[in-house]
Amino acid sequence: MFYYLEGKITILEQSLCVIDISGAGYSCMITTKTLSRLEIDKTAKLYTYCHIKEDAFDIYGFYDLSEKRCFVHLLGVSGVGPKAALSILSSQTPESFALSVINEDETALTVAPGIGKRLAQRIILELKDKVSKDSLIPDVSTSQMDSPASPVDIPPGIKQRDAAAALAVLGYSQSEISAALRSIDIATLTTEEIIREVLKN
């Protein structure tokens, strides 16, 4: 329907904004991350997802494409509707969400309002089933896995593997992931920072 909407922001609420385009005000449901990037009377571009039902036409707006992509990927999980997906992305960034999935961190997901333990488990199960860490990059040695380290000191192989798995959770193909990771200085970044840099690029 609409790929994006660009115009002046006229109304901002906790999970809603209205964007004026040639005198027509489009109501968009938004995450807290997107809300933090918008200002009243300033021009903005929101990437959109349209959810059409018999009795409603809801528009969801996102400041960047990585958040929209994560939102759409979440909708592919059985039992996750737009409101639940928006709630999760208002509590976590796309990169922290993906890491929660690959680390099977139910608690991080249930922080989002309306997300119970069962739904968190289903999200983890369905999304993690789509990706195998070991198939994305070569295995790292057991000695590397067991050695204690700060986030930046974690061996690059482990960080690359975890970042690749997280990006796969967000719907990126193996070829996209491999190409993107080649341009990132993995050794000096944490896993979450690696994911964030890939999404920016």
Side-chain angles (χ1 to χ4, degrees):
M1 187 62 69
F2 305 125
Y3 188 78
Y4 66 80
L5 296 173
E6 185 171 7
K8 186 170 72 173
I9 303 299
T10 56
I11 296 174
L12 275 180
E13 298 178 0
Q14 185 173 2
S15 58
L16 171 77
C17 80
V18 175
I19 183 168
D20 183 281
I21 303 173
S22 301
Y26 292 83
S27 172
C28 296
M29 302 298 291
I30 56 175
T31 65
T32 53
K33 178 184 176 184
T34 291
L35 175 63
S36 70
R37 306 291 295 272
L38 302 177
E39 294 182 48
I40 292 285
D41 293 331
K42 298 288 187 181
T43 298
K45 176 189 287 186
L46 295 180
Y47 298 97
T48 55
Y49 175 87
C50 298
H51 184 64
I52 303 171
K53 300 181 291 186
E54 289 182 4
D55 57 347
F57 186 130
D58 297 324
I59 303 174
Y60 293 81
F62 306 93
Y63 194 81
D64 58 59
L65 279 171
S66 63
E67 196 175 39
K68 178 188 173 180
R69 187 166 187 165
C70 187
F71 178 84
V72 173
H73 210 52
L74 269 166
L75 295 183
V77 177
S78 57
V80 176
K83 289 184 179 178
L86 199 72
S87 179
I88 290 171
L89 290 175
S90 286
S91 301
Q92 292 188 287
T93 62
E95 51 269 25
S96 63
F97 163 74
L99 288 174
S100 295
V101 171
I102 66 170
N103 292 324
E104 300 184 14
D105 187 354
E106 296 172 15
T107 303
L109 296 181
T110 56
V111 167
I115 307 300
K117 186 174 181 180
R118 276 189 189 175
L119 186 54
Q121 290 172 337
R122 188 181 305 131
I123 291 168
I124 290 170
L125 178 65
E126 292 193 22
L127 292 184
K128 198 167 183 182
D129 273 354
K130 295 179 180 179
V131 56
S132 168
K133 285 184 182 181
D134 294 336
S135 69
L136 289 166
I137 70 166
D139 289 337
V140 291
S141 68
T142 303
S143 61
Q144 286 181 317
M145 291 288 289
D146 294 338
S147 58
S150 69
V152 176
D153 290 335
I154 294 172
I158 296 177
K159 290 191 289 185
Q160 183 176 349
R161 182 199 63 189
D162 287 350
L167 290 163
V169 165
L170 296 177
Y172 292 87
S173 69
Q174 187 170 344
S175 60
E176 288 176 316
I177 292 167
S178 297
L181 288 176
R182 279 197 292 269
S183 64
I184 303 295
D185 185 6
I186 291 171
T188 62
L189 301 174
T190 65
T191 304
E192 188 166 340
E193 287 169 341
I194 293 168
I195 300 165
R196 188 177 301 119
E197 286 301 311
V198 169
L199 294 180
K200 280 181 185 178
N201 294 337

